[in-house]
Amino acid sequence: MIDPVDPAAWVCPLPLRNHDRIVTGHGGGGQMSGELVEHIFLPAFGRSAVAGLHDSATMDPPVDGGRLAFSTDSFVVSPLFFAGGDIGRLAVNGTVNDLAMSGARPLALSAAFILGEGLELAVLAAVAESMGRAAQTAGVKVATGDTKVVESAGDEVLYINSSGIGVVPPKVDIRPGRAAAGDAVLLSGPIGEHGIAVMSQRSGLEFGTGVQSDTAPLAGMVASMLGACADIHVLRDPTRGGLAGALCEIAAGAGVGIEFDEDSVPVPDEVAAACAFLGLDPTHVANEGKLVAIVPADAADEVLAAMRSQPEGEGAVRIGHVVADHPGVVAAYTPLGALRVVDQPLGEQLPRIC
């Protein structure tokens, strides 16, 4: 005897289109993938950047004789939306800034999404729209991308890998190995805002602050700095590991010592209070819209003025100098006049900060 059929238990083998959440079919490369691109990504990123929808984007080579810069990074921040930003804006600004730290003018980015099954399409659309606005602000195109869907156990999964290419102007040579004794150390503004903004909203850790992430594109400010001095020696954005991590990497890469004055490093009161609450050193907290510059001492004032002329560098300060002593070691003068060794953080203070 054949069991009666229950239509309510049928499972359609074909993906349905009227979903408000991500399903496996959205990453299958078929019509649903195409609809995701058509209805979410293209309106957010702009159709002009992806004419033809081929497997790769093409563009004209630079004509100014510069060198190409290429960078990639992955973004897994939690929560996806936080005070002052979101994972989409972070992905664009992070890759733009990685290019800018070599002095490059960003040309185009890629955006590859890893999406968990069950993610709301409205969340993906909000992230994509934020990426589009960030790209427009940074003056860069999102030229190509990819989408994959993975199983998730009810968690909100949205990861982004972003790669970017840019052009380094002729005669610009920015790299950690160029830091030299006598150079000035400049910082573009207050530190610790991004890390505290994300930590303050993390599930199980909410302690409430008014701090917002400082995520911002820095390529425009870097162009202004190069206009003041083409011979900038080192640029570094102090993201994971914070200011201390960035300075330690520069000192180790160049085989020089770096000394800075703790009192000269701007730390917002709310960041200082949150760090005291959590037991953190503000110089170890992540930033996403700041940079450290190592420049010849005789050009420091001009570069500092160029930084302060841009919104991202209004709070720029000179914090220290490069020394020939204690190569590979960073040291800070405390408010009491003592000199202490500054170490890199051992690992992540908390996971998924960017």
Side-chain angles (χ1 to χ4, degrees):
M1 180 178 179
I2 300 175
D3 293 334
V5 175
D6 179 9
W10 285 0
V11 177
C12 180
L14 297 176
L16 300 177
R17 299 182 180 183
N18 296 324
H19 288 283
D20 58 2
R21 292 179 182 272
I22 288 292
V23 298
T24 304
H26 284 121
Q31 293 184 31
M32 293 184 71
S33 295
E35 290 171 0
L36 206 62
V37 172
E38 181 72 20
H39 297 301
I40 290 184
F41 295 134
L42 289 186
F45 299 158
R47 294 173 181 272
S48 61
V50 288
L53 288 177
H54 295 305
D55 284 344
S56 63
T58 60
M59 59 194 67
D60 296 329
V63 296
D64 59 0
R67 293 169 290 133
L68 283 176
F70 178 56
S71 181
T72 190
D73 203 347
S74 296
F75 298 85
V76 297
V77 66
S78 176
L80 299 177
F81 299 88
F82 46 83
D86 57 79
I87 190 172
R89 185 177 173 190
L90 204 58
V92 170
N93 290 342
T95 302
V96 164
N97 292 347
D98 285 345
L99 293 169
M101 293 309 102
S102 64
R105 174 174 58 86
L107 292 178
L109 306 180
S110 70
F113 296 85
I114 307 295
L115 308 175
E117 202 174 15
L119 177 73
E120 290 185 35
L121 283 175
V123 171
L124 176 62
V127 169
E129 290 172 6
S130 180
M131 291 184 73
R133 289 193 297 272
Q136 186 174 15
T137 300
V140 65
K141 292 181 177 180
V142 181
T144 188
D146 183 45
T147 304
K148 293 291 187 298
V149 177
V150 297
E151 293 182 359
S152 63
D155 297 329
E156 191 175 58
V157 174
L158 196 171
Y159 304 146
I160 302 174
N161 174 269
S162 178
S163 299
I165 60 171
V167 177
V168 181
K171 300 181 181 178
V172 171
D173 182 15
I174 298 175
R175 49 190 168 84
R178 292 200 66 209
D183 284 351
V185 181
L186 311 180
L187 174 66
S188 65
I191 62 170
E193 293 165 309
H194 175 73
I196 295 301
V198 174
M199 291 181 200
S200 70
Q201 291 183 236
R202 183 155 295 158
S203 177
L205 193 64
E206 291 91 345
F207 50 90
T209 73
V211 177
Q212 296 204 340
S213 169
D214 61 348
T215 177
L218 301 177
M221 181 171 65
V222 170
S224 180
M225 295 166 67
L226 288 171
C229 173
D231 190 32
I232 291 174
H233 291 171
V234 186
L235 292 175
R236 179 63 60 91
D237 52 342
T239 53
R240 289 179 300 172
L243 174 64
L247 292 179
C248 287
E249 289 177 6
I250 294 169
V256 298
I258 294 178
E259 296 178 356
F260 69 93
D261 186 347
E262 283 186 341
D263 270 352
S264 67
V265 177
V267 180
D269 290 342
E270 291 173 311
V271 170
C275 287
F277 176 76
L278 296 170
L280 301 175
D281 181 339
T283 65
H284 288 173
V285 178
N287 312 271
E288 289 291 344
K290 298 296 183 300
L291 65 78
V292 175
I294 309 288
V295 303
D298 58 3
D301 289 342
E302 290 181 75
V303 176
L304 203 55
M307 296 167 76
R308 290 171 175 166
S309 72
Q310 302 296 314
E312 298 81 10
E314 288 179 343
V317 292
R318 181 172 181 166
I319 63 171
H321 55 277
V322 180
V323 298
D325 298 334
H326 51 78
V329 175
V330 176
Y333 285 97
T334 70
L336 298 176
L339 192 63
R340 70 175 179 92
V341 173
V342 176
D343 289 327
Q344 279 188 307
L346 184 61
E348 288 273 21
Q349 292 173 328
L350 286 171
R352 302 178 66 177
I353 205 76
C354 63

